[in-house]
Amino acid sequence: ATSGYDTWTGYPAKEVLYENLASVLEQSTYSGLSGAYLAVCVDRLTYLNARYGYSVMMEIFKSVSERLRQEIRFNDKIGRTSSSCLGIVLQDCDRWGIVRTADRLTKAAEITALQTSVGPVTITLSAGGVVFPDKGLTADLVMTKAEHYLFEAQSRKGLGGMATPYGESVQDPHL
């Protein structure tokens, strides 16, 4: 595999996605046009690994990442940020756009069972995101906050509550 790219998905690894996010964040700060970053996670990947085994878990993750790539716009970027998470940099995306995008992406991956070597497997996804520009936001902070909101969304799912793909403090700087 090429350095800086994930061997499982072929998508940029976290470091390359970070550089892309930093560039889009800088452009957004200068232009005033909002952008967003989504952290998307396959729920219960450890369980899926235990139930089906490592190779099937890898099939699931690769299928999910391909579905998400097909659903985002051509100028948005997707990359693998951890063992069960993907990051998506969305250009020209405001606070309503991030909600619609997260909803569309999670539904696209969940609506049809994934075809695997052991048969169809149904998965769920969680997402957390941050809209920028905002004073003091760096690419590190954007990724960290998005992951925090992702974990919040996952914990709300566990309580049967409504999961929102963004934190309560997300605000459009242009309103």
Side-chain angles (χ1 to χ4, degrees):
T2 307
S3 180
Y5 287 81
D6 178 57
T7 54
W8 286 356
T9 63
Y11 296 148
K14 186 173 186 171
E15 298 77 20
V16 173
L17 191 67
Y18 173 88
E19 291 299 325
N20 183 266
L21 172 61
S23 174
V24 172
L25 181 58
E26 188 175 334
Q27 290 170 9
S28 179
T29 301
Y30 286 116
S31 70
L33 296 173
S34 58
Y37 176 79
L38 271 177
V40 181
C41 184
V42 179
D43 294 332
R44 304 172 334 141
L45 200 61
T46 303
Y47 163 77
L48 295 171
N49 182 37
R51 179 165 183 192
Y52 299 111
Y54 181 78
S55 63
V56 173
M57 181 205 55
M58 293 310 309
E59 287 178 53
I60 292 168
F61 191 84
K62 186 161 176 53
S63 293
V64 167
S65 63
E66 287 169 359
R67 271 198 196 168
L68 293 177
R69 175 68 216 143
Q70 292 168 0
E71 290 294 323
I72 62 175
R73 300 169 297 187
F74 75 95
N75 62 337
D76 295 332
K77 303 289 185 245
I78 186 170
R80 183 152 183 235
T81 57
S82 72
S83 60
S84 63
C85 294
L86 296 157
I88 302 171
V89 179
L90 303 163
Q91 296 191 35
D92 305 320
C93 185
D94 61 17
R95 69 180 183 171
W96 304 117
I98 197 174
V99 173
R100 287 190 310 270
T101 301
D103 188 53
R104 183 173 48 82
L105 293 177
T106 54
K107 283 185 176 145
E110 294 173 356
I111 200 160
T112 307
L114 300 172
Q115 295 306 316
T116 70
S117 57
V118 295
V121 175
T122 303
I123 55 99
T124 60
L125 300 179
S126 293
V130 175
V131 176
F132 50 82
D134 194 5
K135 265 196 160 140
L137 275 184
T138 62
D140 277 333
L141 216 51
V142 167
M143 284 183 154
T144 301
K145 284 183 173 216
E147 288 171 3
H148 171 80
Y149 297 140
L150 164 67
F151 300 143
E152 279 186 4
Q154 287 178 315
S155 69
R156 279 194 292 274
K157 273 184 179 180
L159 300 172
M162 176 62 185
T164 55
Y166 54 92
E168 300 301 321
S169 64
V170 170
Q171 295 178 359
D172 188 328
H174 304 292
L175 293 180

